[in-house]
Amino acid sequence: MTKLADRVRIRTVKILADDWFVLKKTTFDYLRRDGTWQTQNRETYDRGNGAVILLYDRARRTVILTRQFRYPAFVNGCSELLIEAPAGLLDNISPEERIRREAEEETGYRVKHVRKVFEAFMSPGSVTEKLYFFVGEYTSSDQVSDGGGEEAEGEDIDVLELPFDEALAMIGSGTIQDGKTIMLLQHAALHIFA
């Protein structure tokens, strides 16, 4: 089988936007399964890779989530703040270090032990970002601040401690619509709170 890198020939790359992150339009030739080359155009949004964590208390069967405003969801008809697992872009540090910092910044909990459970491309048709998914156990004594995020970054985050079963039910009711959070809650249902 031909390596994937040998099946793609980049023709041109044009930067369409380079404000917050980079939006590019690329023209390339792709070698199809039947042996013919096809010219294609794609736009890709490069915002870097990120990490996300589900904080859980196994004994009390609770999880820590956040609630915040997301403009792209708002303009697509979401009329509520999104409930999410804490997450952030790597910004040139390891996924484990980033998620420890983000958990504390957003939730106020200093996580002692984190465990990577998987990696995933969340929207591979247009966004280059890969997310590193973590879980970490917390106790009430791990709370070192109120959390809430970084005001300078536009963050205004509510911290939610929820019974796990209630959080899981919020997927079915449509209260939780964030993909990364749904994936982590499903992982917890199978591997933590089973």
Side-chain angles (χ1 to χ4, degrees), residues 71 137 185:
Y71 182 75
E137 198 157 2
L185 289 170

Short mmCIF file of all heavy atoms in Angstrom, two decimals, residues 71 137 185:
data_model
loop_
_atom_site.label_atom_id
_atom_site.label_comp_id
_atom_site.label_asym_id
_atom_site.label_seq_id
_atom_site.Cartn_x
_atom_site.Cartn_y
_atom_site.Cartn_z
N TYR A 71 -18.97 32.01 21.28
CA TYR A 71 -19.56 32.78 20.19
C TYR A 71 -19.92 31.92 18.98
O TYR A 71 -21.03 32.06 18.43
CB TYR A 71 -18.64 33.94 19.78
CG TYR A 71 -19.25 34.78 18.69
CD1 TYR A 71 -20.28 35.66 18.98
CD2 TYR A 71 -18.85 34.64 17.37
CE1 TYR A 71 -20.88 36.41 17.99
CE2 TYR A 71 -19.44 35.38 16.37
CZ TYR A 71 -20.47 36.26 16.67
OH TYR A 71 -21.07 36.99 15.69
N GLU A 137 -8.73 12.46 39.13
CA GLU A 137 -9.58 12.41 40.32
C GLU A 137 -9.30 13.63 41.20
O GLU A 137 -8.16 14.08 41.30
CB GLU A 137 -9.31 11.12 41.09
CG GLU A 137 -10.40 10.78 42.06
CD GLU A 137 -10.49 9.30 42.41
OE1 GLU A 137 -9.65 8.51 41.93
OE2 GLU A 137 -11.40 8.96 43.17
N LEU A 185 -17.59 12.08 29.24
CA LEU A 185 -18.64 11.53 30.10
C LEU A 185 -18.97 10.09 29.71
O LEU A 185 -19.18 9.23 30.58
CB LEU A 185 -19.88 12.41 30.05
CG LEU A 185 -19.76 13.76 30.76
CD1 LEU A 185 -20.96 14.66 30.45
CD2 LEU A 185 -19.59 13.59 32.27
#
